[in-house]
Amino acid sequence: DYTPTLIVMPRIAFSFPISQEANFYANYDVLAQRPPDGAFASPYTYYNFRELVASTDNDRFLGNPNLKPQRTINYEVGFQQKLTDFSKFKISVLYREERDLIQIREYINAYPITYSTYGNSDFSTTKSFKLEYDMREHNNLRILANYTLAFSDGTGSSPTSSTGVAAKELKYVFPLDFDQRHTFYLMADYRFKSGDKYNGPKIGKFDILANTGINLAFNLNSGQPYTSKEIPGGIGTSFANRITDGS
């Protein structure tokens, strides 16, 4: 049976203008969602309990209809400054905490047999620093560029990332597989308008490029998690084995 859960999700934002061209801001919010994985079970699950547990595919992880919702708590503080009438610069610090994340749990010597199911036993935190330049459309051109420095740690990257240690109930914090230290993003959008605002090439009275444009987006990142490891051996031995699941 599912135990109903009541979660209050406040969203609070503050703005502190220090002039007509700059201000500090801060916001806090709580988000929640129903369990996205492992929350379904039916009479089939229980009638075929032994067979499912003994299988080698993902069906051996029995669903848990009593999973709690996952929660995300966000904190952000920042400062933004007007540069020109059509552009601004922003700097911000963000902290995100995820609670009650779903992870495999194993129940040893349970009746009628040891089995694995899902539980709300994981958490993660993400700390990031962001610089951003935003130029609104000016002379047909709009630009958005930002850089983010981030650290993502937790006890599991996915609901099955700790399957190998589920029986031991080991919990340790490690860089998650979506941890990414440096992220650069650049978006440039150039387009022509129509009517009186059109300022592109013409053939006679025809605006040949009206309502047309081009958008380019570039992403660059580095600093994904890995474990440096020395393995004695011959040709082909790797000295830097990347980890993606923390096991």
Side-chain angles (χ1 to χ4, degrees), residues 12-159:
I12 304 173
F14 301 94
S15 181
F16 309 95
I18 57 177
S19 71
Q20 293 184 346
E21 298 181 350
N23 77 303
F24 287 97
Y25 66 92
N27 57 66
Y28 163 82
D29 65 81
V30 177
L31 304 173
Q33 65 170 345
R34 299 177 65 181
D37 297 291
F40 176 78
S42 69
Y44 170 84
T45 305
Y46 300 99
Y47 291 145
N48 297 276
F49 192 94
R50 291 181 179 273
E51 289 77 8
L52 292 175
V53 172
S55 67
T56 58
D57 55 24
N58 285 336
D59 285 342
R60 71 184 186 278
F61 302 137
L62 302 182
N64 178 9
N66 201 34
L67 287 174
K68 295 185 292 185
Q70 298 183 143
R71 289 182 291 165
T72 300
I73 304 173
N74 294 301
Y75 305 85
E76 181 181 4
V77 294
F79 169 78
Q80 52 187 358
Q81 170 70 49
K82 173 184 175 181
L83 299 179
T84 65
D85 290 339
F86 48 84
S87 65
K88 68 177 181 179
F89 172 77
K90 182 167 69 172
I91 180 172
S92 59
V93 178
L94 302 96
Y95 178 83
R96 183 180 69 198
E97 180 179 347
E98 294 180 294
R99 301 177 182 177
D100 295 327
L101 298 180
I102 298 171
Q103 187 56 254
I104 290 295
R105 293 189 61 187
E106 185 170 17
Y107 291 86
I108 302 175
N109 296 326
Y111 179 83
I113 190 174
T114 296
Y115 70 95
S116 296
T117 185
Y118 296 88
N120 298 98
S121 58
D122 270 352
F123 74 91
S124 72
T125 60
T126 299
K127 300 168 282 291
S128 60
F129 170 78
K130 187 174 182 179
L131 299 173
E132 183 174 278
Y133 172 77
D134 186 4
M135 187 186 83
R136 294 183 298 177
E137 185 176 335
H138 180 67
N139 292 334
N140 301 340
L141 177 65
R142 183 179 187 275
I143 294 177
L144 177 65
N146 59 56
Y147 162 74
T148 303
L149 173 67
F151 302 83
S152 298
D153 303 306
T155 55
S157 300
S158 70

